[in-house]
Structures are given as structure tokens and as C-alpha cells.
Amino acid sequence: MIDLRLGDCLEVMKTIKDNSIDLWVTSPPYAKQRDYNGADSKSYLEFISPILLEAKRTLNENGSIFFNIKEHCKNGQRDLYVYKMVIHFVENLGLRLVDEFIWNKTNPFPTGAKTRLKDGFERVYHFTKSKKHNFYPENVLVKSTSKWLESEKRRKNKGEHNVTNGSGMNMQKRIATDLVRPSNVITGTSSNENIGHPAVYPTYFAEFFVKVGSAEGMTVGDMFMGSGTTAISCMNTNRKFIGIELDEKYYEIAKKRVEEKRKEKDLQAQTLFGTQN
């Protein structure tokens, strides 16, 4: 089920049932740094807080919200609105800040500022309703790069150690394997797709959070759907999706992308069916 809805996200979200969304993955309008709907940094809390309260209401008890945003610079210094927003979500909206992910961009745009370097990263904040929440690192395992991997695998105790490391982790439970959990730094290129939206994030980026925060068949939402990248990520990974977009132009772009992906998947299914017969 891929459900795309046109309208103001705050009003549309009110029609979604309590506890019916397993995961929200979104990138909201940054504070008036992009030429589409949003709010300036002074009024950003007023703009975003009711939306996050609705997201919390619709989220099931074990669900998560992955929230991609980056503050801008003004008068030669970083605006603090994002930091204030994160603290507000935790202290006043009752959300839990579980982690902070970094999107490390390998192709950052040049900056005209003489006092700063290229802005090569963005953040993704991971919020939940409860301490116990859905998390699926097995969906995003990567190949181990440890130089000790093979020697650890040959040990009789399979890599166990009677020590703790500097983080306080009990290394007695450590098992050396070929595939390991990735870090909370996601490295890759920015999207270079020219599809008519000013802030497209790449599919691999949205897909990472869809996979780590949900299982197949679960329902993922994006209240700032934009061009529909989260929808495409859900179609790639067999999740249900509810997306909301205020701007009719971007909504139509998302619809077109979803229809093209449906045709692609239908063709793949037909090819596979024909091969099996």
C-alpha cells in the first residue's frame, strides 16, 4: 500500500489513527533556507511542534521518528534553532532522543564564505516514544573492516575478551563476524537528480532509515513527502507508506515517481514469472 495524500500535513495527520504508524522518516523544510513551505528560525518551534505531537500520537508504542535537518549560518555564525528544537522535543513533547546520525556527503557544495569550509554533513535525529523500540540493525549490516577479524574468528572462544573497552562495553559478549553493524555515520553523495524539487535526498539515504527502523510489511510515514523519495524507499523494501505533501507540484512529482516504480516492479515480476515458467 502506497498512500499519497495532498494537503497540509498537520490537518491530514489528524485523520490518521492513533498508534498506526510504525516509523516516520522525514526531512522537513529547513528554516526559510529553501524556497518552499516552512517557517523562519524564530517561529520554527511554533511551526514544527504541533506536527511532531501528531507524529507522536500516530506512532505505535515501539515506533521511531528519523528527522533530517541542518541549521544554517547567519551573520557569520550558526543559527541555534535546531538545537533548541531538539531540546524542546525532549523536554516538552515527551520524545526520547535515542541517537544522532551524521550524513557525510562526499560531494558537498562549495561555499562562498571565507571563514568556513564546505558544509559536508547533515544530521538525522532519532526520536522514540519509549525506551523499548523497534530497531533492526541486521537489515543494514556491512562487511567488517577489522584487521583482527580472521584471527578473532580462529580463537577458541570466538573473540570473547575478559575486559571492557573505554565505552564501558562488556567485551565478553563480543563475537567476531564477517558482517557487523555500521556506525551512525552514513557516507555517500548528495542527490543529483533533476526532478523539479529543490531538496531531494538520495534514495539510499532514506532507505537506510526505513530498513533500520522497520521490518517488511510495516507502515512508514513521511509528513513532508516532497518528491516521494521515502515512498520509493518503501517500495524497494516492501513497506507500506503514507506520504503527505502540501505543494501540488511536488505531490505530482511524487505520484509520477511512484507510478514509474510500480511499472518497474510489475515488469520485474513478469520477467521473473516468465523465467520460472
Side-chain angles (χ1 to χ4, degrees):
M1 178 197 75
I2 303 296
D3 182 359
L4 309 185
R5 306 184 186 185
L6 176 64
D8 180 271
C9 65
L10 184 58
E11 297 306 314
V12 176
M13 290 171 78
K14 291 176 181 178
T15 68
I16 299 175
K17 294 180 180 179
D18 293 0
N19 310 312
S20 61
I21 302 293
D22 297 292
L23 172 68
W24 287 102
V25 177
T26 196
S27 182
Y30 298 2
K32 288 298 185 184
Q33 294 302 293
R34 295 171 176 171
D35 188 21
Y36 63 106
N37 303 290
D40 61 26
S41 59
K42 291 182 179 179
S43 59
Y44 204 81
L45 275 181
E46 182 181 349
F47 160 71
I48 202 67
S49 294
I51 296 169
L52 263 289
L53 277 175
E54 282 299 308
K56 180 184 176 184
R57 177 189 63 78
T58 60
L59 196 67
N60 74 46
E61 194 62 29
N62 297 323
S64 291
I65 301 170
F66 288 107
F67 196 89
N68 167 227
I69 195 167
K70 179 68 180 286
E71 73 286 345
H72 59 278
C73 287
K74 185 176 181 180
N75 297 324
Q77 63 180 355
R78 288 285 175 184
D79 195 301
L80 299 179
Y81 82 94
V82 171
Y83 305 98
K84 294 176 181 178
M85 178 198 74
V86 171
I87 294 171
H88 179 76
F89 286 176
V90 174
E91 293 187 347
N92 297 292
L93 302 191
L95 290 169
R96 295 172 55 88
L97 177 61
V98 175
D99 205 352
E100 178 183 18
F101 291 78
I102 296 297
W103 178 19
N104 173 33
K105 301 179 182 180
T106 58
N107 60 337
F109 289 110
T111 177
K114 296 181 179 180
T115 56
R116 296 196 313 276
L117 302 179
K118 290 181 180 180
D119 205 356
F121 74 94
E122 293 189 23
R123 298 182 182 87
V124 177
Y125 295 99
H126 180 192
F127 299 102
T128 65
K129 290 174 68 171
S130 60
K131 183 176 181 179
K132 183 180 179 181
H133 57 272
N134 295 326
F135 198 63
Y136 302 91
E138 64 273 15
N139 291 342
V140 293
L141 297 179
V142 296
K143 187 176 181 179
S144 173
T145 59
S146 171
K147 64 180 181 179
W148 310 111
L149 177 62
E150 294 306 317
S151 62
E152 287 291 284
K153 287 165 65 175
R154 288 193 295 269
R155 289 170 61 99
K156 290 183 179 180
N157 60 1
K158 300 300 181 184
E160 294 179 3
H161 297 280
N162 294 319
V163 296
T164 58
N165 65 8
S167 69
M169 180 186 299
N170 185 351
M171 299 300 282
Q172 290 183 348
K173 297 181 180 180
R174 178 177 177 270
I175 303 296
T177 58
D178 292 310
L179 295 177
V180 296
R181 293 186 179 197
S183 77
N184 56 2
V185 177
I186 300 95
T187 299
T189 62
S190 302
S191 177
N192 57 5
E193 294 183 89
N194 184 15
I195 57 177
H197 191 281
V200 178
Y201 54 32
T203 304
Y204 79 83
F205 180 68
E207 200 164 298
F208 177 90
F209 296 103
V210 167
K211 288 161 69 173
V212 81
S214 68
E216 289 192 16
M218 287 186 173
T219 300
V220 179
D222 186 346
M223 70 284 280
F224 300 104
M225 178 177 64
S227 62
T229 300
T230 310
I232 301 301
S233 300
C234 288
M235 297 178 78
N236 287 340
T237 57
N238 299 315
R239 271 74 168 170
K240 300 172 185 175
F241 177 75
I242 297 177
I244 308 167
E245 177 53 44
L246 175 63
D247 191 297
E248 188 170 0
K249 176 184 175 182
Y250 304 146
Y251 172 78
E252 292 298 329
I253 292 172
K255 278 182 60 178
K256 181 179 179 181
R257 293 182 74 193
V258 166
E259 286 305 313
E260 289 174 349
K261 175 58 69 172
R262 280 197 177 115
K263 291 177 182 178
E264 178 186 316
K265 289 175 71 70
D266 288 345
L267 182 60
Q268 290 173 346
Q270 291 170 10
T271 301
L272 178 62
F273 183 78
T275 302
Q276 291 177 339
N277 285 276

